[in-house]
Amino acid sequence: MTEGADVDAVTRAIAERRQLVNEAIPQQLPIKRPERLYEASRYLLDAGGKRLRPTVLLLTSEALMDVPPLEEDYREFPAPNGTIDMMVAAVSVEIIQSFTLIHDDIMDDDDMRRGVPAVHNEFDLSTAILAGDTLYAKAFENMLETGATAERSVRALSELSTTCTKICEGQSFDIDFETREEVTTDEYLEMVELKTAVLYAAAASIPAILLGKDDAVDALYQYGLNVGRAFQIQDDLLDLTTPSEKLGKQRGSDLVENKQTIITLHARQQGVDVDSLVPEDDVEAVEEETIEQAVATLEEAGSIDFARDLAHDLIEEGKEHLQVLPDNGARDRLADIADFLVEREY
Amino acid sequence: MTEGADVDAVTRAIAERRQLVNEAIPQQLPIKRPERLYEASRYLLDAGGKRLRPTVLLLTSEALMDVPPLEEDYREFPAPNGTIDMMVAAVSVEIIQSFTLIHDDIMDDDDMRRGVPAVHNEFDLSTAILAGDTLYAKAFENMLETGATAERSVRALSELSTTCTKICEGQSFDIDFETREEVTTDEYLEMVELKTAVLYAAAASIPAILLGKDDAVDALYQYGLNVGRAFQIQDDLLDLTTPSEKLGKQRGSDLVENKQTIITLHARQQGVDVDSLVPEDDVEAVEEETIEQAVATLEEAGSIDFARDLAHDLIEEGKEHLQVLPDNGARDRLADIADFLVEREY
C-alpha cells in the first residue's frame, strides 16, 4: 500500500464518480405526485455533497472485478454471471445518508445544511419527516433493483436494514451523550461506529455481496468501518485545528456548543476542566484568542495527539483490509480515500 | 360467501391471533441498548391495538394452505417446500403500522393515541422520530427472517418497500388536503388507498408471495385494498353516526375540526355549505344539537348514504376476490372481517 494519498488521483476519482451519481439520482428518484413530497426528498440530494459513500461502493466494485476504473458502465456492471446495475446500489446508500441528515437536522435543531436551509426550514416539519420516510423506502426499493440474484439481493437488503437500525442506535446514543455527565472515549467510539461508520462499511461490503465475492465481504466491511470511524475523528479535529475561513464556520464551535468529541472526552479523562475552556455560549461572541488558548490546553493534555494517532491507526488498519482485493488502480484509490479522509484540512 | 359477519366467530378469530401477535412482538423487538430508544419504539405497540393487519395476514396464510385455523404453529408454518415463520411477517406489518402512527401523530400534532400519550409526548420529538425510524428498519429485518426462499423474500421486501412509499405519499396528500380549497371524492379515495388501504393489501397478499401461491397474489391484494378503503370510510361514518360515549370521543369531531372526509366532500359537491355546518372550532364547546342538525343536513344531501353504499360496495367487491382461496374456515373469517369492518359501531 502507498503511504499518503495521491491527492490529485483521489480528487479526480471522487469527482468523476460524483458526476455519474448526480446524473443517476434524478433517474432513480424522479419528482412525481405528490410533487412537494418528492421535491423535499430531493432537496438535500440536489444541494450537493461529496458522494463519498457511493464513490467507495463504485470503486470497491471495480477493484473486486479487477476492471479498469470507469471503463465499465455501472448500469451494466460485469458480475460473475451476467451484469448488475451497481449504480442503483450506490444511489441507495446515498439516499440513506440523505434521509438520516434530514431527520438528524430536525433532532439537532440545525438550520442549515450544505449551504442551504435544512429541509424542515425550507419546507416544514411534517414534510421533512415525511421526506425522510420516503427516502428510507426508496433506498430499499433501489437496492432491490440491482438485478443481482435473489440470494445476493436478500443479503444486501439485510445489510442495509441492520445498517439503518445501527444508525438509529448511534443517533440515540449521540442525543443521550448531550445531557450525560460522564461519557468514556470507548462509548464515544461505539456511538461513532453506529452513527457514521456502519454506512461506510455497508458501502464497501455490499458490492462484494452483490457480486458473490463472499470471501471479501468481512474485510471490506472492516475497511469501511475503520475509515468511517477515522472520518468522524478527523471531523472533530478539524473543528479545532482548521482556520475558520477554511472551515466555513467558526473554529472551535464544538467547544462553544459544549459538544462532546473524542478530544474533549480524552481531555476530561486527563483531568482537564473542559467546560471552562470556552466560557462563551455564543459562537458569534467568542474570541479567536480564547479558542487558541483552549486548543493549547487540549494539546498539552495530549488530547489532540491522541485523536490524531487514533485516526491514523484506524486508517492504517482500514487499508490493511484492502489486501483482500486484487492489486489494481481502484484498490489504490480506496487506499487514497482512506488517507485523504484524515489528510484533508476541511 | 355469507352475507353479514359472524360477529362471534370474527371477534374470537381476531382475539386469538392478537394474543399470539402480542407474544411475538417482544420476541421480535426486544428492549436492548439504547433502552430509551427501544422503549419508545415499543411504547405504542405495547399500548394495544386490534392487530387487524397481522390477523388478516395470518388468516390468509391459513386459508391459502387450507389448514384448520390455529392448528399449525405460525412460527413453523407449512409451506409447499419446508416451513416458514409467518409470525415475523405478521409482526413486520404491525411494526410498519406502528411506525406510521408515531410519525403521523407528530405531523398531525395529536397528543393521545390508544388511550396513552403519543410517543412524542411521552418521550420527546427526537426520540419519537428516531423510534419510528428504528421500527422502519426492524420491519424490514423481520420480513427478511421468514425463512422463505430468496426469490419470495425479495418479492415480499419489494411489496413492503413500495407499500411504505405509498403510505408516505398518502400522508402527504392528506396533509395537503387540509389547506386545499377543492378536493374531489376521487382524490380523497386515492389518498385513502395510499395512506390506509395499501397496508391491508400488503398484509393480505404477502402470504401468497411467501408461500409461492403466485396465482392468488393479485386477488388477495385487491381484497386488502377494498377492505382497507372501506375501513377508512367507515371511520368517517362512525364519527358522525356513533354516540360520543360509544365512540370514546366527541361525535362529529371531524366536522368541528373541519377535517375533510368522504361525507363532507360529497356534500360539498352537492352544494352544501359544509364549513358553516358547525361554527364552533372547539370540540369541548360544541352542542349535541348542532351536530345532530349537521348530520341531518348531510343525510338530506345523500352524503351519508353515499358513504355507506360506497363502503358496502367495496366490501362486497373485496369479498369477491376471496374466491381465489380454497373454501375453508379461514376464508370465511376473512369474509367476516370485511363485513365486520363496516358493521362495527366503534
Side-chain angles (χ1 to χ4, degrees):
Chain A
M1 297 286 149
T2 51
E3 269 296 316
D6 182 340
V7 176
D8 278 356
V10 72
T11 307
R12 201 167 52 241
I14 295 170
E16 287 162 342
R17 283 162 190 81
R18 177 171 55 229
Q19 178 59 30
L20 296 170
V21 171
N22 287 350
E23 285 166 18
I25 287 170
Q27 292 163 1
Q28 296 308 124
L29 199 63
I31 308 267
K32 59 186 199 82
R33 292 180 64 232
E35 279 83 6
R36 191 175 152 86
L37 175 63
Y38 282 99
E39 281 162 10
S41 303
R42 279 269 299 282
Y43 187 70
L44 266 193
L45 284 163
D46 291 351
K50 288 189 281 293
R51 318 294 189 212
L52 280 175
R53 296 158 194 82
T55 294
V56 165
L57 189 146
L58 296 171
L59 278 170
T60 307
S61 308
E62 294 173 322
L64 278 165
M65 294 309 291
D66 206 13
V67 295
L70 295 173
E71 203 140 290
E72 300 290 341
D73 183 350
Y74 291 125
R75 293 291 197 172
E76 295 182 354
F77 195 77
N81 308 308
T83 64
I84 71 173
D85 186 345
M86 201 55 88
M87 185 52 86
V88 293
V91 169
S92 170
V93 167
E94 186 70 7
I95 288 177
I96 292 287
Q97 165 68 2
S98 193
F99 136 65
T100 63
L101 294 179
I102 293 174
H103 281 190
D104 282 3
D105 283 345
I106 300 171
M107 299 182 220
D108 302 341
D109 208 7
D110 282 333
D111 294 337
M112 298 291 287
R113 169 72 70 177
R114 291 180 175 163
V116 297
V119 175
H120 64 278
N121 271 359
E122 179 67 21
F123 295 84
D124 54 68
L125 176 67
S126 295
T127 305
I129 292 174
L130 212 46
D133 292 347
T134 305
L135 289 174
Y136 214 141
K138 285 290 173 188
F140 283 90
E141 283 186 35
N142 271 280
M143 193 58 89
L144 283 163
E145 285 173 19
T146 61
T149 64
E151 282 77 10
R152 292 172 191 166
S153 288
V154 162
R155 285 183 60 198
L157 261 286
S158 179
E159 181 58 47
L160 199 66
S161 53
T162 56
T163 297
C164 289
T165 300
K166 287 177 181 173
I167 293 172
C168 292
E169 291 174 354
Q171 171 70 357
S172 178
F173 281 123
D174 199 15
I175 291 172
D176 177 42
F177 290 175
E178 277 172 36
T179 54
R180 253 179 54 191
E181 278 294 306
E182 297 243 342
V183 179
T184 66
T185 49
D186 281 350
E187 287 176 313
Y188 182 79
L189 288 172
E190 182 194 13
M191 181 277 284
V192 167
E193 176 178 325
L194 293 167
K195 181 171 171 171
T196 305
V198 293
L199 193 55
Y200 280 96
S205 62
I206 283 175
I209 295 171
L210 292 174
L211 294 166
K213 303 283 189 182
D214 292 355
D215 294 346
V217 173
D218 288 348
L220 289 169
Y221 191 88
Q222 290 302 321
Y223 161 79
L225 212 53
N226 284 310
V227 163
R229 286 178 181 129
F231 178 75
Q232 184 57 52
I233 293 167
Q234 183 68 6
D235 253 11
D236 291 353
L237 276 165
L238 290 179
D239 182 71
L240 297 175
T241 59
T242 302
S244 302
E245 57 276 20
K246 259 197 178 175
L247 206 58
K249 61 172 185 173
Q250 173 62 51
R251 175 186 170 208
S253 62
D254 287 350
L255 289 176
V256 183
E257 290 162 5
N258 297 310
K259 200 170 161 293
Q260 314 258 37
T261 70
I262 192 71
I263 299 125
T264 59
L265 291 171
H266 178 272
R268 244 178 252 276
Q269 285 177 338
Q270 305 306 306
V272 175
D273 181 5
V274 172
D275 299 325
S276 307
L277 284 178
V278 179
E280 288 88 347
D281 274 346
D282 181 359
V283 179
E284 308 287 311
V286 74
E287 306 243 340
E288 190 63 25
E289 210 190 307
T290 314
I291 300 290
E292 257 165 43
Q293 186 56 54
V295 172
T297 306
L298 294 169
E299 249 165 18
E300 273 164 43
S303 304
I304 304 265
D305 280 344
F306 169 78
R308 256 198 203 112
D309 290 347
L310 185 57
H312 182 264
D313 291 350
L314 288 168
I315 288 301
E316 289 309 310
E317 198 192 323
K319 287 196 294 182
E320 281 298 311
H321 290 290
L322 293 177
Q323 301 286 2
V324 78
L325 294 169
D327 185 359
N328 54 36
R331 184 179 86 168
D332 290 343
R333 292 298 84 71
L334 288 167
D336 285 338
I337 283 183
D339 286 321
F340 173 73
L341 285 179
V342 295
E343 286 170 19
R344 73 199 157 103
E345 289 180 340
Y346 52 93
Chain B
M1 297 285 152
T2 51
E3 269 295 320
D6 181 339
V7 176
D8 279 354
V10 73
T11 308
R12 201 165 54 242
I14 295 171
E16 288 162 340
R17 283 161 190 81
R18 176 169 57 226
Q19 178 61 29
L20 296 170
V21 171
N22 287 350
E23 285 165 18
I25 287 170
Q27 293 164 359
Q28 296 308 125
L29 199 63
I31 309 269
K32 61 187 198 82
R33 295 180 61 231
E35 278 83 5
R36 191 176 152 84
L37 175 62
Y38 282 99
E39 282 162 9
S41 302
R42 279 269 298 281
Y43 187 71
L44 266 192
L45 283 162
D46 291 351
K50 289 189 280 294
R51 317 294 187 210
L52 280 175
R53 294 158 194 82
T55 294
V56 165
L57 189 146
L58 295 171
L59 278 170
T60 306
S61 308
E62 293 173 324
L64 278 165
M65 294 308 293
D66 206 13
V67 296
L70 295 173
E71 202 140 294
E72 301 290 341
D73 184 351
Y74 291 126
R75 293 289 196 172
E76 295 182 353
F77 196 78
N81 307 307
T83 64
I84 71 173
D85 186 345
M86 201 55 87
M87 185 54 85
V88 294
V91 170
S92 171
V93 167
E94 186 69 7
I95 288 177
I96 291 287
Q97 165 68 2
S98 193
F99 136 66
T100 63
L101 293 180
I102 293 174
H103 281 190
D104 282 3
D105 284 345
I106 300 172
M107 298 182 222
D108 301 341
D109 208 6
D110 281 334
D111 294 338
M112 300 289 290
R113 169 73 70 175
R114 290 180 177 164
V116 296
V119 175
H120 64 279
N121 272 0
E122 179 67 20
F123 295 83
D124 54 67
L125 176 66
S126 295
T127 305
I129 292 174
L130 213 46
D133 292 346
T134 305
L135 290 174
Y136 214 141
K138 286 290 173 190
F140 284 90
E141 284 187 35
N142 271 281
M143 192 58 88
L144 283 164
E145 286 174 17
T146 60
T149 64
E151 281 77 10
R152 291 171 193 166
S153 288
V154 162
R155 284 183 60 199
L157 260 287
S158 178
E159 181 57 49
L160 199 65
S161 53
T162 56
T163 297
C164 288
T165 300
K166 286 177 182 172
I167 292 172
C168 292
E169 292 173 355
Q171 171 70 357
S172 179
F173 280 123
D174 199 14
I175 291 172
D176 176 42
F177 289 175
E178 276 172 36
T179 54
R180 255 181 52 191
E181 278 293 306
E182 295 243 342
V183 180
T184 67
T185 50
D186 281 349
E187 286 176 313
Y188 183 80
L189 288 173
E190 182 194 14
M191 182 275 286
V192 167
E193 176 178 325
L194 292 167
K195 181 172 172 172
T196 304
V198 292
L199 193 53
Y200 280 96
S205 62
I206 282 176
I209 295 171
L210 292 173
L211 294 165
K213 303 282 188 185
D214 293 356
D215 293 347
V217 173
D218 287 349
L220 289 169
Y221 191 88
Q222 290 302 321
Y223 161 79
L225 211 55
N226 284 311
V227 163
R229 286 179 182 128
F231 179 73
Q232 184 58 53
I233 293 166
Q234 183 68 6
D235 253 11
D236 291 352
L237 275 165
L238 289 179
D239 182 72
L240 296 175
T241 57
T242 303
S244 302
E245 57 277 17
K246 261 198 176 175
L247 205 58
K249 61 174 188 174
Q250 172 62 50
R251 174 186 171 211
S253 61
D254 287 349
L255 288 177
V256 182
E257 291 160 4
N258 297 311
K259 201 170 160 293
Q260 314 258 36
T261 71
I262 191 73
I263 299 124
T264 58
L265 290 171
H266 177 271
R268 244 179 252 277
Q269 285 178 337
Q270 305 307 306
V272 174
D273 181 4
V274 172
D275 300 324
S276 308
L277 283 178
V278 179
E280 289 88 347
D281 272 346
D282 182 359
V283 178
E284 310 286 312
V286 75
E287 305 242 343
E288 191 62 28
E289 209 190 306
T290 313
I291 301 290
E292 258 166 44
Q293 187 56 54
V295 173
T297 306
L298 294 169
E299 250 165 17
E300 272 165 43
S303 305
I304 305 263
D305 281 343
F306 169 78
R308 254 197 205 115
D309 291 348
L310 185 56
H312 182 265
D313 290 350
L314 288 168
I315 288 300
E316 289 310 311
E317 197 191 324
K319 286 196 294 182
E320 280 298 310
H321 290 290
L322 294 176
Q323 302 285 1
V324 79
L325 294 168
D327 185 0
N328 54 36
R331 185 180 85 168
D332 289 344
R333 293 297 85 70
L334 288 167
D336 284 339
I337 283 182
D339 285 323
F340 173 72
L341 285 179
V342 295
E343 285 171 17
R344 74 198 157 101
E345 288 180 343
Y346 53 93

